[in-house]
């Protein structure tokens, strides 16, 4: 893709530190006590995972999120769809330790479903992958960065850090791009600002908004 993208920073939810993806990992390890039970407070706890997700070919897009270890894999699928990829209800799948878990398994092929608890599939250090839409796929790398205890109340997935929107420039004038043409993108072109989008040869109706997601410019994704 013909874009001059620099590494993106993100902001820590707890202390507002602005750091790169790599430095944020080390930072969150030192901040993990903010996620644990407050000192002196008596309450039940449960295991949780801190997971880093990033675009396989678009590394400037990344998220660190916390998920309880006793929820099912399909919860991460729902989270990634809502946060980053959902456009037209496409199929999706995780690959974990060389096994594939499908959003809509085919019983005729003995496909595995996503109806498995995370603590049966993941451990600290586990690398796995995710694919949404097998026709025009968005592919993500995921890694369990940390394993720790959180308060047992609630089972929601929390975004701890998300990359800042990368600055992408209009190919015509150099101003910040606000639209992408999904047809021209295949030719490493089609990033346009508001003004230049008006005269685009493929037609304004074909353009998609530039959004903070590794699925930007794909299918009908608008964020």
């Amino acid at each position: 893709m013909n874009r001059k993208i620099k590494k993106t920073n993100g902001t820590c939810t707890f202390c507002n530190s602005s750091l790169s993806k790599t430095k944020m990992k080390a930072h969150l390890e030192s901040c993990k006590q903010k996620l644990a039970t407050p000192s002196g407070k008596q309450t039940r706890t449960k295991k949780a995972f801190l997971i880093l997700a990033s675009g396989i070919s678009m590394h400037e897009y990344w998220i660190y999120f916390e998920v309880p270890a006793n929820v099912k894999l399909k919860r991460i699928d729902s989270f990634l769809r809502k946060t980053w990829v959902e456009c037209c209800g496409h199929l999706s799948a995780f690959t974990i330790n060389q096994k594939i878990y499908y959003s809509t398994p085919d019983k005729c092929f003995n496909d595995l479903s996503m109806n498995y608890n995370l603590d049966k599939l993941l451990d600290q250090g586990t690398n796995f992958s995710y694919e949404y839409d097998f026709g025009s796929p968005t592919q993500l790398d995921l890694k369990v960065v940390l394993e720790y205890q959180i308060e047992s109340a609630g089972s929601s997935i929390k975004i701890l850090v998300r990359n800042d929107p990368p600055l992408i420039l209009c190919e015509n004038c150099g101003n910040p791009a606000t639209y992408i043409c999904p047809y021209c993108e295949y030719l490493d072109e089609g990033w346009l600002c508001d003004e230049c989008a008006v005269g685009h040869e493929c037609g304004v109706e074909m353009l998609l908004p530039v959004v903070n997601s590794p699925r930007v410019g794909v299918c009908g994704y608008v964020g």
Side-chain angles (χ1 to χ4, degrees), residues 78-184:
S78 297
F79 167 76
L80 292 173
R81 286 171 178 266
K82 180 180 179 181
T83 305
W84 251 6
V85 300
E86 183 67 272
C87 63
C88 304
H90 297 291
L91 301 179
S92 59
F94 289 95
T95 300
I96 305 173
N97 294 324
Q98 300 182 332
K99 293 183 179 180
I100 303 176
Y101 301 83
Y102 294 92
S103 58
T104 307
D106 190 329
K107 294 182 180 179
C108 294
F109 293 96
N110 295 318
D111 288 345
L112 296 172
S113 74
M114 296 182 183
N115 201 33
Y116 289 85
N117 281 10
L118 298 182
D119 54 7
K120 303 297 183 182
L121 302 174
L122 305 176
D123 293 292
Q124 182 167 320
T126 300
N127 291 287
F128 59 114
S129 63
Y130 176 78
E131 182 172 334
Y132 173 83
D133 182 5
F134 303 148
S136 299
T138 295
Q139 299 172 314
L140 307 177
D141 276 326
L142 297 102
K143 181 176 183 177
V144 181
V145 176
L146 286 175
E147 183 180 299
Y148 50 87
Q149 296 293 313
I150 60 171
E151 291 185 28
S152 60
S155 60
S156 61
I157 297 178
K158 300 177 181 178
I159 295 177
L160 304 188
V161 188
R162 182 175 183 175
N163 70 277
D164 299 328
L167 177 62
I168 304 172
L169 301 180
C170 173
E171 63 185 38
N172 292 336
C173 67
N175 287 324
T178 51
Y179 291 97
I180 172 62
C181 175
Y183 293 101
C184 295

Side-chain angles (χ1 to χ4, degrees), residues 1-17:
M1 194 172 293
N2 187 21
R3 299 183 296 159
K4 294 182 179 180
I5 298 295
K6 296 181 179 180
K7 293 181 179 180
T8 51
N9 282 4
T11 303
C12 176
T13 302
F14 304 101
C15 65
N16 294 322
S17 295

